Amino acid sequence: VLTVTDIDTLISQVTGDATSIAGGREHSIILKNDGTVWVTGGNGYGQLGLGNYSNRSSWTQTPITDVKSVTCGWYHSIILKNDGTVWVAGTNDWGQLGVGYISDRNSWIQTSLTDVKSVAGGYNHSMIVKNDGTVWGTGHNSFGQLGLGDKTSRNSWTKTSLTDVKSVACGSYHSMILKNDGTVWGIGLDNSWTQSATNVKSIDGGHYHSIILKNDGTVWVAGNNGAGQLGLGDTTQRNSWTQTSLTDVKSVACGGWYSIILKNDGTVWVTGSNGKGQLGLGNNGDNTDRNNWTKTSLTNVKSVAGGYIYSIILKNDGTVWGTGENEYGQLGLGHKSNISSWTQSTSL
C-alpha cells in the first residue's frame, strides 16, 4: 500500500521535470530533464529494458542515463544518448534492434551506431539519421520500408542511399524522411524513395496513414481514413497529401488509427478511432470515433504522443497526462483500467 510519502516521492520523481514522451503498442517511455528514462506498461518482450518480462502500471526508472531522446516501436524501444550512441531493448524477431541477431533483449544493449542525430521505430523496423545526414535502417522489410532497394529484412543497421536528411518517422509498414530542404520522401509497399511534399517542418506516421506539418502551420494528411484519422470530415482514403482545416499548429503525432496535434496556443486537437477513449474527449465513457478535428479540454501542453490505442501528453509544467487503453498499465496510473478522459499520471 502506498503511503502519502510514497506518492509524494513518486510525483517528484516522475512528473514535474519530464522533457519528452513516447508511446508504443502497449508501453510508454518518459525522458526526464536529468537524462534518466522511466517506463511503464507491457513488458512481455522486455521492451521496458528492466532486465525482466514483468509489466508495470506505474512509472519505473531504468538503469539508462545521459539520454537525449526516446522512441518506441510496437514492442521495442530505442534511445539516443547524448554521446550519439543508440541503445535498444525489446522484441527482435525481425532484427529491429539492429544488433546482428534476432533474439529479444530485456535489458538495454548498445548498438554499433555512433554519431546519431535522431531515431524512429515502426511496427517491426527501426530507422536512424546520423549527423552527416545519412539514413540507416534495420528490421522487417517485406514492404520495402527500409528503403534499401529490396524487400529483404535486416538484423544489422544498413545504410540507405539518402543524404542531407533532417529527421525520419516510421509508420507500421512505411517510412518517411524530411530533408534539410523541406522536402518529404516516403517508402513502403515499394522499393524506391519518392518525393511527395515540400516546405515541411515535421512528419509522423500511423498504422496506415501519415501526417505532415508545413512551415506555415498547416497540416496535410494521406493514407487510410476508415476511422476518420485524417480529420477531413469523411472516411475516404487519400492517396495524395490533402490539406486539413487546421492552422497555427506546433506539432503532429499519429496513433494507430487516430491523429493528435498540438497548436501554438497549447491546445490539443484529435480525430479518428476512439474505441478505447484514446481521443480523451469524455468524462462519461465517450468512445465515439471522430472524422473532424475536435478540440480537447487540454491546455498549456508542450508535446503530444500517440501509442497504438492510447495517448500521452506532456504539459509545460513537466506533468504527464494520458487517456485510452491502459490494460497493460501503459498510462502509468497505478492501475490497469481504460479511461476516456485525460488523467494526470500522478493519480496513483
Side-chain angles (χ1 to χ4, degrees):
V1 177
L2 290 171
T3 66
V4 172
T5 301
D6 291 332
I7 294 173
D8 286 343
T9 299
L10 284 169
I11 291 173
S12 65
Q13 289 176 333
V14 177
T15 62
D17 61 354
T19 184
S20 65
I21 52 180
R25 170 60 182 87
E26 58 191 35
H27 73 293
S28 306
I29 302 179
I30 286 175
L31 172 62
K32 288 177 62 176
N33 285 318
D34 63 2
T36 59
V37 173
W38 298 68
V39 292
T40 191
N43 194 33
Y45 299 92
Q47 60 263 48
L48 300 186
L50 297 173
N52 56 53
Y53 298 99
S54 300
N55 297 344
R56 299 293 195 281
S57 60
S58 297
W59 294 102
T60 304
Q61 185 175 359
T62 74
I64 206 92
T65 58
D66 194 35
V67 173
K68 179 182 179 181
S69 67
V70 296
T71 194
C72 299
W74 262 45
Y75 298 108
H76 68 288
S77 305
I78 314 170
I79 71 104
L80 171 61
K81 284 202 172 191
N82 285 311
D83 63 3
T85 60
V86 173
W87 298 64
V88 291
T91 189
N92 193 34
D93 52 346
W94 288 96
Q96 54 265 55
L97 300 187
V99 289
Y101 50 81
I102 57 171
S103 300
D104 296 349
R105 298 289 307 193
N106 65 14
S107 58
W108 296 102
I109 181 173
Q110 184 177 353
T111 72
S112 60
L113 293 167
T114 57
D115 197 35
V116 174
K117 179 167 65 173
S118 66
V119 295
Y123 184 11
N124 290 315
H125 75 291
S126 307
M127 305 289 288
I128 68 100
V129 181
K130 287 201 173 192
N131 284 313
D132 64 2
T134 59
V135 176
W136 300 62
T138 190
H140 187 237
N141 194 36
S142 295
F143 300 95
Q145 59 265 50
L146 298 185
L148 298 171
D150 57 47
K151 295 186 178 180
T152 303
S153 298
R154 305 294 202 280
N155 60 27
S156 295
W157 293 98
T158 306
K159 187 178 180 181
T160 73
S161 61
L162 294 167
T163 58
D164 195 35
V165 174
K166 179 180 180 181
S167 64
V168 62
C170 297
S172 291
Y173 303 106
H174 68 286
S175 304
M176 296 187 297
I177 65 99
L178 173 60
K179 287 204 170 191
N180 287 311
D181 64 4
T183 59
V184 168
W185 299 66
I187 199 163
L189 299 176
D190 195 356
N191 287 332
S192 301
W193 289 97
T194 303
Q195 182 178 342
S196 60
T198 59
N199 195 34
V200 176
K201 179 181 179 182
S202 64
I203 54 179
D204 201 18
H207 195 45
Y208 294 115
H209 74 291
S210 304
I211 186 168
I212 62 172
L213 171 63
K214 290 206 172 189
N215 287 313
D216 62 3
T218 60
V219 173
W220 299 64
V221 291
N224 185 278
N225 193 32
Q229 57 264 53
L230 302 186
L232 297 172
D234 56 46
T235 56
T236 303
Q237 178 173 312
R238 302 301 198 278
N239 296 327
S240 59
W241 292 109
T242 304
Q243 185 174 357
T244 72
S245 60
L246 294 168
T247 58
D248 195 37
V249 173
K250 179 181 179 181
S251 64
V252 296
C254 295
W257 286 277
Y258 73 98
S259 305
I260 179 169
I261 71 99
L262 171 63
K263 287 203 172 190
N264 284 311
D265 64 3
T267 61
V268 173
W269 298 65
V270 291
T271 190
S273 176
N274 193 34
K276 294 292 180 72
Q278 58 264 46
L279 301 186
L281 294 172
N283 294 315
N284 299 308
D286 184 344
N287 299 110
T288 303
D289 295 352
R290 303 296 200 277
N291 60 26
N292 278 306
W293 292 99
T294 305
K295 186 178 181 180
T296 72
S297 61
L298 293 166
T299 58
N300 197 33
V301 175
K302 178 181 179 181
S303 63
V304 295
Y308 184 55
I309 41 181
Y310 70 97
S311 307
I312 49 178
I313 67 99
L314 171 63
K315 287 203 172 189
N316 286 313
D317 62 4
T319 59
V320 175
W321 299 62
T323 188
E325 184 192 50
N326 192 37
E327 296 165 13
Y328 298 90
Q330 57 262 55
L331 298 182
L333 300 174
H335 61 74
K336 295 182 180 180
S337 299
N338 298 339
I339 56 175
S340 60
S341 59
W342 294 98
T343 304
Q344 188 176 347
S345 291
T346 55
S347 301
L348 300 175

